[in-house]
Amino acid sequence: MVAMASFDPRTVAGRFRLFAVLEALSWLGLLTGMAFKYLPADGNEIGVKIFGPVHGAVFVLFVLTALLTAREFEWNWKTTLLALLSSIPPFFTVLFEVWAVRAGKLDTPAAAAQPLANSTDATAPARASS
């Protein structure tokens, strides 16, 4: 159960992990389809026709998810650029995700790490009652 919790789409990090793995799997499908299209003398294009659009859609979803994750975790521009560039070579999204976990880039969103001001705080402005 622990492994499945890491792919929880209800969390920002879980969505990022999910789309990183899906992007790598769609690459695998597309590369397999390209092999069946170009390697045999009488190649079959069905794999490319199926996995081409699937990979394109998952690619766009990964890029959007990477941008939203970068905003939520307040990544610097270098980390954000690495996340976006990882979507280009095959399987690099998984490598980036592993690196991000090890580097602590997917630990706690920056908004959750900052405590909210208590409404009874002495520095908070007083509310006027009517």
Short mmCIF file of all heavy atoms in Angstrom, two decimals, residues 47-110:
data_model
loop_
_atom_site.label_atom_id
_atom_site.label_comp_id
_atom_site.label_asym_id
_atom_site.label_seq_id
_atom_site.Cartn_x
_atom_site.Cartn_y
_atom_site.Cartn_z
N GLY A 47 1.02 0.87 -34.26
CA GLY A 47 1.59 1.25 -32.97
C GLY A 47 1.83 2.75 -32.87
O GLY A 47 1.56 3.37 -31.84
N VAL A 48 2.32 3.34 -33.95
CA VAL A 48 2.57 4.78 -33.96
C VAL A 48 1.25 5.55 -33.97
O VAL A 48 1.12 6.58 -33.31
CB VAL A 48 3.46 5.16 -35.16
CG1 VAL A 48 3.63 6.67 -35.26
CG2 VAL A 48 4.82 4.48 -35.06
N LYS A 49 0.27 5.02 -34.70
CA LYS A 49 -1.04 5.69 -34.75
C LYS A 49 -1.73 5.68 -33.40
O LYS A 49 -2.50 6.59 -33.08
CB LYS A 49 -1.93 5.03 -35.80
CG LYS A 49 -1.51 5.35 -37.21
CD LYS A 49 -2.46 4.73 -38.22
CE LYS A 49 -2.03 5.08 -39.63
NZ LYS A 49 -2.96 4.53 -40.62
N ILE A 50 -1.48 4.65 -32.60
CA ILE A 50 -2.09 4.58 -31.27
C ILE A 50 -1.27 5.37 -30.26
O ILE A 50 -1.79 6.24 -29.54
CB ILE A 50 -2.25 3.11 -30.82
CG1 ILE A 50 -3.28 2.41 -31.69
CG2 ILE A 50 -2.63 3.03 -29.34
CD1 ILE A 50 -3.36 0.93 -31.47
N PHE A 51 0.03 5.06 -30.17
CA PHE A 51 0.85 5.65 -29.11
C PHE A 51 1.32 7.07 -29.41
O PHE A 51 1.71 7.78 -28.49
CB PHE A 51 2.04 4.75 -28.80
CG PHE A 51 1.66 3.53 -28.01
CD1 PHE A 51 1.63 2.29 -28.61
CD2 PHE A 51 1.30 3.65 -26.68
CE1 PHE A 51 1.26 1.17 -27.89
CE2 PHE A 51 0.93 2.54 -25.95
CZ PHE A 51 0.91 1.30 -26.56
N GLY A 52 1.28 7.50 -30.66
CA GLY A 52 1.66 8.88 -30.98
C GLY A 52 0.76 9.89 -30.28
O GLY A 52 1.24 10.75 -29.52
N PRO A 53 -0.56 9.82 -30.49
CA PRO A 53 -1.45 10.76 -29.79
C PRO A 53 -1.47 10.56 -28.28
O PRO A 53 -1.58 11.53 -27.52
CB PRO A 53 -2.82 10.46 -30.39
CG PRO A 53 -2.56 9.78 -31.67
CD PRO A 53 -1.26 9.05 -31.51
N VAL A 54 -1.35 9.31 -27.83
CA VAL A 54 -1.33 9.05 -26.38
C VAL A 54 -0.11 9.73 -25.76
O VAL A 54 -0.21 10.42 -24.74
CB VAL A 54 -1.32 7.53 -26.09
CG1 VAL A 54 -1.02 7.25 -24.62
CG2 VAL A 54 -2.65 6.90 -26.49
N HIS A 55 1.04 9.55 -26.39
CA HIS A 55 2.26 10.18 -25.87
C HIS A 55 2.15 11.70 -25.92
O HIS A 55 2.57 12.39 -24.98
CB HIS A 55 3.49 9.72 -26.66
CG HIS A 55 4.73 10.43 -26.27
ND1 HIS A 55 5.33 10.29 -25.04
CD2 HIS A 55 5.48 11.34 -26.94
CE1 HIS A 55 6.39 11.06 -24.97
NE2 HIS A 55 6.51 11.71 -26.12
N GLY A 56 1.58 12.23 -26.98
CA GLY A 56 1.42 13.69 -27.08
C GLY A 56 0.55 14.24 -25.96
O GLY A 56 0.88 15.26 -25.35
N ALA A 57 -0.55 13.57 -25.67
CA ALA A 57 -1.44 14.03 -24.60
C ALA A 57 -0.77 13.92 -23.24
O ALA A 57 -0.84 14.85 -22.42
CB ALA A 57 -2.74 13.22 -24.63
N VAL A 58 -0.10 12.80 -22.99
CA VAL A 58 0.57 12.62 -21.69
C VAL A 58 1.72 13.60 -21.55
O VAL A 58 1.98 14.13 -20.47
CB VAL A 58 1.04 11.16 -21.51
CG1 VAL A 58 1.87 10.99 -20.26
CG2 VAL A 58 -0.16 10.23 -21.47
N PHE A 59 2.42 13.91 -22.64
CA PHE A 59 3.49 14.90 -22.63
C PHE A 59 2.96 16.26 -22.18
O PHE A 59 3.54 16.92 -21.32
CB PHE A 59 4.13 15.00 -24.03
CG PHE A 59 5.09 16.15 -24.17
CD1 PHE A 59 6.39 16.02 -23.74
CD2 PHE A 59 4.68 17.34 -24.75
CE1 PHE A 59 7.28 17.08 -23.88
CE2 PHE A 59 5.56 18.39 -24.89
CZ PHE A 59 6.87 18.27 -24.45
N VAL A 60 1.85 16.69 -22.78
CA VAL A 60 1.26 17.98 -22.41
C VAL A 60 0.82 17.97 -20.95
O VAL A 60 1.05 18.93 -20.21
CB VAL A 60 0.08 18.32 -23.35
CG1 VAL A 60 -0.70 19.52 -22.84
CG2 VAL A 60 0.58 18.57 -24.76
N LEU A 61 0.20 16.88 -20.51
CA LEU A 61 -0.21 16.77 -19.11
C LEU A 61 0.99 16.80 -18.16
O LEU A 61 0.93 17.42 -17.09
CB LEU A 61 -1.03 15.50 -18.88
CG LEU A 61 -2.42 15.51 -19.50
CD1 LEU A 61 -3.05 14.12 -19.39
CD2 LEU A 61 -3.29 16.55 -18.83
N PHE A 62 2.09 16.17 -18.55
CA PHE A 62 3.29 16.20 -17.71
C PHE A 62 3.84 17.62 -17.62
O PHE A 62 4.22 18.07 -16.53
CB PHE A 62 4.38 15.26 -18.23
CG PHE A 62 5.65 15.37 -17.44
CD1 PHE A 62 5.78 14.75 -16.22
CD2 PHE A 62 6.71 16.14 -17.90
CE1 PHE A 62 6.93 14.87 -15.46
CE2 PHE A 62 7.87 16.28 -17.16
CZ PHE A 62 7.98 15.64 -15.94
N VAL A 63 3.91 18.33 -18.74
CA VAL A 63 4.44 19.69 -18.73
C VAL A 63 3.58 20.59 -17.84
O VAL A 63 4.09 21.36 -17.02
CB VAL A 63 4.55 20.25 -20.16
CG1 VAL A 63 4.79 21.75 -20.16
CG2 VAL A 63 5.65 19.54 -20.93
N LEU A 64 2.26 20.49 -17.97
CA LEU A 64 1.37 21.28 -17.13
C LEU A 64 1.53 20.92 -15.66
O LEU A 64 1.59 21.80 -14.79
CB LEU A 64 -0.08 21.11 -17.57
CG LEU A 64 -0.45 21.70 -18.92
CD1 LEU A 64 -1.87 21.31 -19.30
CD2 LEU A 64 -0.28 23.20 -18.91
N THR A 65 1.62 19.63 -15.38
CA THR A 65 1.79 19.18 -14.01
C THR A 65 3.14 19.64 -13.45
O THR A 65 3.23 20.02 -12.28
CB THR A 65 1.67 17.64 -13.92
OG1 THR A 65 0.41 17.26 -14.44
CG2 THR A 65 1.79 17.16 -12.49
N ALA A 66 4.18 19.61 -14.27
CA ALA A 66 5.49 20.07 -13.82
C ALA A 66 5.45 21.56 -13.47
O ALA A 66 6.02 21.99 -12.46
CB ALA A 66 6.54 19.80 -14.89
N LEU A 67 4.76 22.35 -14.29
CA LEU A 67 4.66 23.79 -14.00
C LEU A 67 3.85 24.05 -12.73
O LEU A 67 4.23 24.90 -11.91
CB LEU A 67 4.04 24.52 -15.19
CG LEU A 67 4.91 24.58 -16.44
CD1 LEU A 67 4.12 25.15 -17.62
CD2 LEU A 67 6.16 25.41 -16.18
N LEU A 68 2.76 23.32 -12.55
CA LEU A 68 1.96 23.49 -11.32
C LEU A 68 2.73 23.01 -10.09
O LEU A 68 2.65 23.64 -9.03
CB LEU A 68 0.65 22.73 -11.46
CG LEU A 68 -0.32 23.28 -12.49
CD1 LEU A 68 -1.51 22.34 -12.66
CD2 LEU A 68 -0.79 24.66 -12.11
N THR A 69 3.48 21.93 -10.24
CA THR A 69 4.29 21.44 -9.13
C THR A 69 5.40 22.43 -8.78
O THR A 69 5.67 22.68 -7.60
CB THR A 69 4.90 20.07 -9.48
OG1 THR A 69 3.85 19.17 -9.82
CG2 THR A 69 5.70 19.50 -8.33
N ALA A 70 6.01 23.01 -9.79
CA ALA A 70 7.06 24.01 -9.57
C ALA A 70 6.51 25.21 -8.80
O ALA A 70 7.16 25.74 -7.90
CB ALA A 70 7.66 24.45 -10.89
N ARG A 71 5.30 25.61 -9.14
CA ARG A 71 4.68 26.73 -8.43
C ARG A 71 4.33 26.35 -7.00
O ARG A 71 4.58 27.11 -6.06
CB ARG A 71 3.44 27.21 -9.17
CG ARG A 71 2.87 28.49 -8.58
CD ARG A 71 1.65 28.92 -9.29
NE ARG A 71 0.57 28.01 -8.88
CZ ARG A 71 -0.63 28.01 -9.38
NH1 ARG A 71 -0.94 28.85 -10.34
NH2 ARG A 71 -1.54 27.18 -8.95
N GLU A 72 3.78 25.17 -6.81
CA GLU A 72 3.34 24.74 -5.48
C GLU A 72 4.52 24.53 -4.52
O GLU A 72 4.46 24.88 -3.36
CB GLU A 72 2.54 23.44 -5.60
CG GLU A 72 1.96 22.95 -4.30
CD GLU A 72 0.78 23.77 -3.82
OE1 GLU A 72 0.13 24.44 -4.64
OE2 GLU A 72 0.52 23.72 -2.61
N PHE A 73 5.61 23.94 -5.03
CA PHE A 73 6.78 23.66 -4.20
C PHE A 73 7.81 24.78 -4.25
O PHE A 73 8.88 24.64 -3.67
CB PHE A 73 7.42 22.33 -4.62
CG PHE A 73 6.64 21.13 -4.17
CD1 PHE A 73 5.71 20.54 -5.00
CD2 PHE A 73 6.84 20.60 -2.91
CE1 PHE A 73 4.99 19.42 -4.59
CE2 PHE A 73 6.12 19.48 -2.49
CZ PHE A 73 5.19 18.90 -3.32
N GLU A 74 7.50 25.83 -4.99
CA GLU A 74 8.38 27.00 -5.14
C GLU A 74 9.78 26.60 -5.58
O GLU A 74 10.78 26.98 -4.97
CB GLU A 74 8.41 27.83 -3.85
CG GLU A 74 7.08 28.45 -3.52
CD GLU A 74 7.11 29.33 -2.29
OE1 GLU A 74 8.17 29.46 -1.63
OE2 GLU A 74 6.06 29.90 -1.97
N TRP A 75 9.84 25.82 -6.67
CA TRP A 75 11.12 25.44 -7.23
C TRP A 75 11.78 26.66 -7.85
O TRP A 75 11.11 27.55 -8.37
CB TRP A 75 10.95 24.39 -8.31
CG TRP A 75 10.57 23.03 -7.83
CD1 TRP A 75 10.58 22.56 -6.54
CD2 TRP A 75 10.10 21.94 -8.63
NE1 TRP A 75 10.17 21.27 -6.50
CE2 TRP A 75 9.86 20.85 -7.76
CE3 TRP A 75 9.87 21.78 -9.98
CZ2 TRP A 75 9.41 19.63 -8.22
CZ3 TRP A 75 9.41 20.56 -10.44
CH2 TRP A 75 9.18 19.50 -9.57
N ASN A 76 13.12 26.69 -7.84
CA ASN A 76 13.82 27.77 -8.55
C ASN A 76 13.76 27.48 -10.05
O ASN A 76 13.29 26.43 -10.49
CB ASN A 76 15.26 27.91 -8.03
CG ASN A 76 16.08 26.65 -8.23
OD1 ASN A 76 15.80 25.82 -9.09
ND2 ASN A 76 17.11 26.49 -7.42
N TRP A 77 14.25 28.41 -10.83
CA TRP A 77 14.10 28.28 -12.28
C TRP A 77 14.92 27.11 -12.82
O TRP A 77 14.53 26.49 -13.82
CB TRP A 77 14.47 29.58 -12.99
CG TRP A 77 15.92 29.95 -12.90
CD1 TRP A 77 16.52 30.70 -11.92
CD2 TRP A 77 16.95 29.59 -13.82
NE1 TRP A 77 17.87 30.80 -12.18
CE2 TRP A 77 18.16 30.14 -13.34
CE3 TRP A 77 16.97 28.85 -14.99
CZ2 TRP A 77 19.37 29.98 -14.00
CZ3 TRP A 77 18.18 28.69 -15.65
CH2 TRP A 77 19.36 29.25 -15.15
N LYS A 78 16.04 26.78 -12.17
CA LYS A 78 16.86 25.67 -12.65
C LYS A 78 16.14 24.33 -12.48
O LYS A 78 16.14 23.49 -13.38
CB LYS A 78 18.19 25.63 -11.91
CG LYS A 78 19.11 26.79 -12.25
CD LYS A 78 20.39 26.71 -11.44
CE LYS A 78 21.25 27.93 -11.68
NZ LYS A 78 22.48 27.90 -10.88
N THR A 79 15.53 24.14 -11.32
CA THR A 79 14.79 22.90 -11.09
C THR A 79 13.60 22.80 -12.04
O THR A 79 13.32 21.72 -12.59
CB THR A 79 14.31 22.83 -9.62
OG1 THR A 79 15.46 22.96 -8.77
CG2 THR A 79 13.60 21.53 -9.33
N THR A 80 12.90 23.91 -12.23
CA THR A 80 11.75 23.92 -13.15
C THR A 80 12.20 23.60 -14.57
O THR A 80 11.56 22.80 -15.27
CB THR A 80 11.05 25.29 -13.10
OG1 THR A 80 10.69 25.57 -11.75
CG2 THR A 80 9.82 25.31 -13.99
N LEU A 81 13.29 24.18 -15.00
CA LEU A 81 13.81 23.92 -16.34
C LEU A 81 14.23 22.46 -16.49
O LEU A 81 13.94 21.82 -17.52
CB LEU A 81 14.99 24.85 -16.64
CG LEU A 81 15.58 24.75 -18.06
CD1 LEU A 81 14.54 25.16 -19.09
CD2 LEU A 81 16.81 25.61 -18.18
N LEU A 82 14.87 21.90 -15.46
CA LEU A 82 15.23 20.48 -15.50
C LEU A 82 14.00 19.59 -15.61
O LEU A 82 14.00 18.60 -16.35
CB LEU A 82 16.04 20.09 -14.27
CG LEU A 82 17.52 20.45 -14.27
CD1 LEU A 82 18.13 20.12 -12.91
CD2 LEU A 82 18.25 19.72 -15.37
N ALA A 83 12.95 19.94 -14.87
CA ALA A 83 11.71 19.15 -14.94
C ALA A 83 11.13 19.20 -16.35
O ALA A 83 10.70 18.17 -16.89
CB ALA A 83 10.69 19.68 -13.93
N LEU A 84 11.11 20.37 -16.95
CA LEU A 84 10.56 20.50 -18.30
C LEU A 84 11.44 19.80 -19.33
O LEU A 84 10.93 19.13 -20.23
CB LEU A 84 10.38 21.97 -18.65
CG LEU A 84 9.35 22.72 -17.79
CD1 LEU A 84 9.37 24.20 -18.13
CD2 LEU A 84 7.98 22.13 -17.96
N LEU A 85 12.75 19.94 -19.20
CA LEU A 85 13.66 19.28 -20.15
C LEU A 85 13.64 17.76 -20.00
O LEU A 85 13.92 17.04 -20.97
CB LEU A 85 15.09 19.81 -19.97
CG LEU A 85 15.33 21.24 -20.44
CD1 LEU A 85 16.75 21.67 -20.10
CD2 LEU A 85 15.06 21.39 -21.92
N SER A 86 13.29 17.28 -18.82
CA SER A 86 13.26 15.82 -18.62
C SER A 86 12.18 15.15 -19.45
O SER A 86 12.22 13.94 -19.65
CB SER A 86 13.06 15.50 -17.14
OG SER A 86 11.72 15.73 -16.74
N SER A 87 11.24 15.92 -19.95
CA SER A 87 10.16 15.34 -20.75
C SER A 87 10.59 15.06 -22.19
O SER A 87 9.86 14.39 -22.91
CB SER A 87 8.94 16.26 -20.74
OG SER A 87 9.25 17.48 -21.38
N ILE A 88 11.74 15.53 -22.59
CA ILE A 88 12.14 15.38 -23.99
C ILE A 88 12.84 14.04 -24.25
O ILE A 88 12.40 13.28 -25.10
CB ILE A 88 12.99 16.58 -24.45
CG1 ILE A 88 12.14 17.86 -24.35
CG2 ILE A 88 13.51 16.40 -25.87
CD1 ILE A 88 12.88 19.14 -24.55
N PRO A 89 13.93 13.70 -23.53
CA PRO A 89 14.53 12.37 -23.79
C PRO A 89 13.67 11.26 -23.18
O PRO A 89 13.04 11.47 -22.14
CB PRO A 89 15.89 12.43 -23.09
CG PRO A 89 16.08 13.83 -22.64
CD PRO A 89 14.75 14.49 -22.62
N PRO A 90 13.66 10.11 -23.80
CA PRO A 90 12.85 9.01 -23.26
C PRO A 90 13.28 8.62 -21.83
O PRO A 90 14.46 8.52 -21.54
CB PRO A 90 13.13 7.85 -24.23
CG PRO A 90 13.58 8.50 -25.48
CD PRO A 90 14.29 9.76 -25.07
N PHE A 91 12.28 8.43 -20.99
CA PHE A 91 12.43 7.92 -19.62
C PHE A 91 13.09 8.88 -18.64
O PHE A 91 13.27 8.51 -17.48
CB PHE A 91 13.17 6.57 -19.62
CG PHE A 91 12.66 5.62 -20.65
CD1 PHE A 91 13.47 5.21 -21.70
CD2 PHE A 91 11.35 5.16 -20.62
CE1 PHE A 91 12.99 4.34 -22.67
CE2 PHE A 91 10.87 4.30 -21.59
CZ PHE A 91 11.70 3.89 -22.62
N PHE A 92 13.46 10.08 -19.04
CA PHE A 92 14.12 11.01 -18.14
C PHE A 92 13.17 11.59 -17.10
O PHE A 92 13.61 12.11 -16.09
CB PHE A 92 14.81 12.13 -18.92
CG PHE A 92 16.20 11.79 -19.37
CD1 PHE A 92 16.47 10.60 -20.03
CD2 PHE A 92 17.25 12.66 -19.13
CE1 PHE A 92 17.75 10.28 -20.44
CE2 PHE A 92 18.54 12.35 -19.54
CZ PHE A 92 18.79 11.14 -20.20
N THR A 93 11.87 11.52 -17.35
CA THR A 93 10.93 12.02 -16.34
C THR A 93 11.02 11.20 -15.07
O THR A 93 10.94 11.75 -13.96
CB THR A 93 9.48 12.00 -16.87
OG1 THR A 93 9.17 10.68 -17.33
CG2 THR A 93 9.30 13.00 -18.00
N VAL A 94 11.22 9.90 -15.21
CA VAL A 94 11.37 9.05 -14.03
C VAL A 94 12.69 9.35 -13.33
O VAL A 94 12.75 9.43 -12.10
CB VAL A 94 11.27 7.56 -14.42
CG1 VAL A 94 11.58 6.66 -13.25
CG2 VAL A 94 9.88 7.26 -14.97
N LEU A 95 13.75 9.56 -14.10
CA LEU A 95 15.04 9.92 -13.49
C LEU A 95 14.94 11.24 -12.74
O LEU A 95 15.48 11.38 -11.64
CB LEU A 95 16.13 9.99 -14.56
CG LEU A 95 16.50 8.69 -15.25
CD1 LEU A 95 17.51 8.94 -16.36
CD2 LEU A 95 17.04 7.70 -14.25
N PHE A 96 14.24 12.22 -13.34
CA PHE A 96 14.08 13.51 -12.65
C PHE A 96 13.26 13.33 -11.38
O PHE A 96 13.58 13.92 -10.34
CB PHE A 96 13.40 14.54 -13.56
CG PHE A 96 13.14 15.83 -12.83
CD1 PHE A 96 14.14 16.77 -12.69
CD2 PHE A 96 11.91 16.08 -12.25
CE1 PHE A 96 13.91 17.94 -11.97
CE2 PHE A 96 11.67 17.24 -11.55
CZ PHE A 96 12.68 18.18 -11.41
N GLU A 97 12.22 12.52 -11.42
CA GLU A 97 11.37 12.31 -10.24
C GLU A 97 12.17 11.67 -9.12
O GLU A 97 12.07 12.08 -7.96
CB GLU A 97 10.16 11.44 -10.61
CG GLU A 97 9.10 11.37 -9.54
CD GLU A 97 9.36 10.31 -8.50
OE1 GLU A 97 10.03 9.32 -8.81
OE2 GLU A 97 8.91 10.48 -7.36
N VAL A 98 13.00 10.69 -9.44
CA VAL A 98 13.85 10.05 -8.43
C VAL A 98 14.81 11.08 -7.83
O VAL A 98 14.99 11.15 -6.61
CB VAL A 98 14.61 8.85 -9.04
CG1 VAL A 98 15.69 8.35 -8.10
CG2 VAL A 98 13.65 7.74 -9.39
N TRP A 99 15.42 11.89 -8.68
CA TRP A 99 16.33 12.93 -8.19
C TRP A 99 15.58 13.93 -7.32
O TRP A 99 16.08 14.34 -6.26
CB TRP A 99 17.00 13.66 -9.36
CG TRP A 99 17.77 14.86 -8.90
CD1 TRP A 99 19.03 14.86 -8.39
CD2 TRP A 99 17.31 16.21 -8.86
NE1 TRP A 99 19.37 16.15 -8.05
CE2 TRP A 99 18.35 16.98 -8.32
CE3 TRP A 99 16.12 16.83 -9.24
CZ2 TRP A 99 18.23 18.36 -8.14
CZ3 TRP A 99 16.00 18.19 -9.05
CH2 TRP A 99 17.05 18.96 -8.52
N ALA A 100 14.39 14.33 -7.74
CA ALA A 100 13.62 15.32 -6.99
C ALA A 100 13.25 14.79 -5.60
O ALA A 100 13.28 15.54 -4.62
CB ALA A 100 12.36 15.72 -7.76
N VAL A 101 12.92 13.53 -5.51
CA VAL A 101 12.60 12.93 -4.21
C VAL A 101 13.85 12.92 -3.33
O VAL A 101 13.81 13.31 -2.16
CB VAL A 101 12.03 11.50 -4.37
CG1 VAL A 101 11.98 10.77 -3.05
CG2 VAL A 101 10.65 11.57 -5.00
N ARG A 102 14.97 12.48 -3.88
CA ARG A 102 16.22 12.41 -3.11
C ARG A 102 16.71 13.79 -2.69
O ARG A 102 17.30 13.94 -1.62
CB ARG A 102 17.30 11.69 -3.91
CG ARG A 102 17.04 10.22 -4.04
CD ARG A 102 18.13 9.52 -4.79
NE ARG A 102 17.82 8.10 -4.92
CZ ARG A 102 18.51 7.26 -5.66
NH1 ARG A 102 19.55 7.69 -6.35
NH2 ARG A 102 18.16 6.00 -5.72
N ALA A 103 16.48 14.79 -3.53
CA ALA A 103 16.93 16.15 -3.22
C ALA A 103 15.93 16.89 -2.34
O ALA A 103 16.17 18.04 -1.96
CB ALA A 103 17.16 16.92 -4.52
N GLY A 104 14.80 16.27 -2.03
CA GLY A 104 13.80 16.91 -1.18
C GLY A 104 12.92 17.91 -1.90
O GLY A 104 12.24 18.71 -1.26
N LYS A 105 12.90 17.87 -3.21
CA LYS A 105 12.10 18.82 -3.99
C LYS A 105 10.61 18.49 -3.98
O LYS A 105 9.80 19.33 -4.36
CB LYS A 105 12.59 18.85 -5.45
CG LYS A 105 14.03 19.23 -5.61
CD LYS A 105 14.27 20.67 -5.27
CE LYS A 105 15.70 21.07 -5.55
NZ LYS A 105 15.95 22.46 -5.23
N LEU A 106 10.25 17.27 -3.55
CA LEU A 106 8.84 16.87 -3.52
C LEU A 106 8.38 16.56 -2.09
O LEU A 106 7.40 15.83 -1.90
CB LEU A 106 8.61 15.64 -4.41
CG LEU A 106 8.78 15.86 -5.91
CD1 LEU A 106 8.68 14.55 -6.66
CD2 LEU A 106 7.75 16.84 -6.43
N ASP A 107 9.08 17.10 -1.10
CA ASP A 107 8.76 16.78 0.29
C ASP A 107 7.48 17.43 0.78
O ASP A 107 6.49 16.78 1.00
CB ASP A 107 9.91 17.17 1.22
CG ASP A 107 11.04 16.18 1.15
OD1 ASP A 107 10.84 15.07 0.63
OD2 ASP A 107 12.13 16.52 1.62
N THR A 108 7.49 18.72 0.97
CA THR A 108 6.34 19.45 1.50
C THR A 108 6.14 20.71 0.68
O THR A 108 7.10 21.44 0.45
CB THR A 108 6.58 19.84 2.97
OG1 THR A 108 6.89 18.67 3.70
CG2 THR A 108 5.36 20.50 3.57
N PRO A 109 4.92 20.96 0.22
CA PRO A 109 4.69 22.20 -0.52
C PRO A 109 5.05 23.41 0.32
O PRO A 109 4.89 23.41 1.54
CB PRO A 109 3.19 22.19 -0.82
CG PRO A 109 2.79 20.76 -0.70
CD PRO A 109 3.72 20.14 0.30
N ALA A 110 5.56 24.44 -0.31
CA ALA A 110 6.01 25.63 0.40
C ALA A 110 4.86 26.28 1.17
O ALA A 110 5.05 26.80 2.26
CB ALA A 110 6.63 26.62 -0.58
#
